[in-house]
Amino acid sequence: MTTASAVPKSPRRGRPGYDQDSVLEIAVQVFNRHGYDATSMGMLAVELGVSKSAIYHHVPSKGDLLRLALDEALVPLEAIGEDERAQKGGTIERLEFILRSTIRVLIDRQPYVTLLLRLRGNTEIERDALQRRRTVDHKIVDLVVAAQAEGKVRSDVEPRTTTRLMFGMINSLVEWYRPDGPVSPAQVEENAIAMIVDGLRARP
């Protein structure tokens, strides 16, 4: 899928110890800790232990760091909807596939998804990312509507509200889930699916 990113990721190295990926990883940690707006390139340089010019060797600006970081979350989330398993088959099965895949992305890309969920929409890059996220959400609403029409999902739930509640629960993972904690990713996934999918199924 083509993304809005204007800065291709590359493995180039010009300073010892850092490449673009490692600079991006640390930048996301700082963005999440202080907020994107409050983070300066000087702060990133201090965190990395390099000069600002060393950062500019890898990316032209702070905005380009943000765009690359958001793509780390959005590209895999968008890819879920393009997968054949999300487009063909029964509506409940497609919904379950999308929810399971979304949970896996959130756990695998947790720092990047955290950044996405905390956007305020203050810049064009942020507004574009938020629109891409809304597009993903709208596809789920349409799928819930289709499942209701087929009699697979309870008729007493409103699709848009239901989608917001589903993703409210799933998105909360970025706030409390810890990879080194007592709950495994598989347990999180199974518990979430049991609550959401089983709760939505039409009653006999």
Side-chain angles (χ1 to χ4, degrees):
M1 170 180 288
T2 302
T3 71
S5 175
V7 182
K9 294 178 65 176
S10 69
R12 64 176 180 162
R13 290 180 180 270
R15 302 282 175 172
Y18 291 106
D19 59 10
Q20 189 182 77
D21 286 338
S22 56
V23 169
L24 184 62
E25 181 179 352
I26 293 174
V28 169
Q29 294 174 14
V30 180
F31 290 159
N32 285 337
R33 188 185 315 143
H34 299 287
Y36 172 73
D37 290 339
T39 300
S40 67
M41 292 297 271
M43 291 169 65
L44 293 177
V46 170
E47 188 78 18
L48 289 160
V50 300
S51 65
K52 286 194 288 186
S53 62
I55 301 176
Y56 288 125
H57 172 78
H58 297 290
V59 289
S61 68
K62 187 178 81 164
D64 290 302
L65 274 173
L66 178 64
R67 182 183 290 111
L68 288 170
L70 293 173
D71 273 349
E72 288 290 327
L74 283 165
V75 169
L77 288 173
E78 290 168 329
I80 294 169
E82 300 300 321
D83 191 289
E84 184 176 359
R85 289 166 290 182
Q87 298 180 359
K88 296 181 179 180
T91 50
I92 284 289
E93 289 74 22
R94 289 159 57 196
L95 179 62
E96 181 173 337
F97 168 77
I98 291 172
L99 294 175
R100 286 185 182 277
S101 300
T102 300
I103 291 167
R104 292 170 189 174
V105 170
L106 261 67
I107 290 175
D108 183 59
R109 307 289 179 95
Q110 190 169 358
Y112 301 98
V113 177
T114 299
L115 180 63
L116 172 64
L117 296 177
R118 293 178 180 175
L119 292 182
R120 298 181 178 179
N122 292 335
T123 67
E124 183 177 350
I125 294 170
E126 293 174 78
R127 290 188 289 272
D128 175 69
L130 290 172
Q131 180 56 51
R132 289 167 67 187
R133 180 185 164 198
R134 282 192 291 270
T135 298
V136 171
D137 291 347
H138 290 162
K139 290 180 179 179
I140 309 301
V141 174
D142 292 342
L143 186 54
V144 174
V145 170
Q148 276 187 324
E150 292 179 3
K152 302 296 185 181
V153 164
R154 295 167 49 168
S155 61
D156 60 339
V157 297
E158 197 282 314
R160 189 174 300 276
T161 300
T162 299
T163 301
R164 288 175 176 171
L165 290 170
M166 283 193 299
F167 281 105
M169 184 178 77
I170 292 173
N171 291 341
S172 72
L173 286 170
V174 303
E175 302 298 337
W176 64 265
Y177 180 75
R178 296 294 176 266
D180 58 352
V183 183
S184 70
Q187 288 175 310
V188 170
E189 183 178 321
E190 293 304 325
N191 287 343
I193 293 301
M195 292 175 64
I196 297 172
V197 177
D198 290 348
L200 284 176
R201 286 186 191 276
R203 297 166 181 171

